Amino acid sequence: MLKFVSCLFVLAAFGLITPPAAAVEAKISGAIRVIDGDTIDVNGIRIRLFGIDAPEGDQTCTSRRGKVALCGDWVSGQVRKTYQGRQASCRRVDTDRYGRTVARCVVSGVDMGQDLVARGLAFAYAKYSQDYVAVEAAAMQRGHGIHAYQLIRPAAFRAEKKAGQVKHVQKTSQTGCTIKGNISAKGVKIYHSEGQRDYKKTRISTNKGERWFCTGAEARAAGWRAAKR
């Protein structure tokens, strides 16, 4: 028996066998870097929050008056405003098809997924969990966050986008803020105001950390500098 265990140890050491799933570290903790409405980095690990599905960064919604807004961009900004840099304690639940860790994360005793659904910043992802379905229903009834607008669920949006049925709309953010916080290929943060040379052709990708601002002062405070032209 001892020889058998020793043999397994040697094989594992040389990568010839894979340790069982139970041996994989289930707990992850550290400062949060927000990627989008339902995806974060913690201690260098990309985490998809379990049981929720937030609007995609380029997903639009429509107000009762018919105004089109970038709800996905707004959601990412709200999550970043609330959680960026805070300490999270996450427990791994699964790994998704993109190789991301799927986990529940707690910040200051608050379940992050539940908080986002309750505030109307994400939907309950009922396909994978029923945990937040009742929370979502309450948020819908109160018209919180994205539930004050008309929009399809993110999974349906992704399916339509894959089928080429989504028309991309590049307008102002949901809050009406028009200053575009762009990040160059070299990582330089530059903001563009209406009327400047590159304003119209600048596109905002919240997946890259780009964002909208209401004022130049707000952009500068966040670390962006004004475009020269």
Side-chain angles (χ1 to χ4, degrees), residues 180-182 184 188-192 196 216 219-220 222-229:
K180 299 177 179 179
N182 178 247
S184 72
V188 180
K189 296 179 177 180
I190 303 171
Y191 70 85
H192 303 263
Q196 289 191 293
R220 291 190 294 274
W224 267 257
R225 69 166 175 81
K228 294 180 179 179
R229 291 179 284 183

Side-chain angles (χ1 to χ4, degrees), residues 100-192:
R100 298 175 299 185
T101 294
V102 179
R104 296 180 184 273
C105 294
V106 175
V107 179
S108 298
V110 176
D111 181 321
M112 191 174 174
Q114 181 175 334
D115 177 56
L116 296 181
V117 174
R119 292 167 56 194
L121 299 178
F123 293 93
Y125 211 167
K127 178 180 178 181
Y128 298 102
S129 172
Q130 297 292 309
D131 289 3
Y132 307 126
V133 172
V135 179
E136 178 193 289
M140 281 185 170
Q141 187 174 17
R142 294 180 175 88
H144 287 176
I146 55 178
H147 302 304
Y149 294 77
Q150 292 182 341
L151 76 164
I152 62 175
R153 289 182 177 269
F157 175 81
R158 292 190 293 269
E160 289 188 2
K161 188 175 180 179
K162 187 176 181 179
Q165 298 173 358
V166 173
K167 294 181 179 179
H168 293 280
V169 179
Q170 186 70 20
K171 297 193 175 185
T172 62
S173 67
Q174 182 179 344
T175 56
C177 301
T178 60
I179 295 176
K180 299 177 179 179
N182 178 247
I183 301 177
S184 72
K186 295 182 178 180
V188 180
K189 296 179 177 180
I190 303 171
Y191 70 85
H192 303 263

Side-chain angles (χ1 to χ4, degrees), residues 69-86:
L70 289 176
C71 272
D73 174 74
W74 176 78
V75 163
S76 296
Q78 291 299 303
V79 177
R80 189 170 289 111
K81 181 179 179 180
T82 304
Y83 286 105
Q84 183 82 349
R86 296 181 66 182

Side-chain angles (χ1 to χ4, degrees), residues 36-58:
D36 58 29
D38 53 31
T39 309
I40 60 177
D41 277 356
V42 176
N43 200 19
I45 298 174
R46 183 62 51 89
I47 294 175
R48 178 68 157 79
L49 294 172
F50 174 73
I52 73 170
D53 199 15
E56 296 296 318
D58 57 347

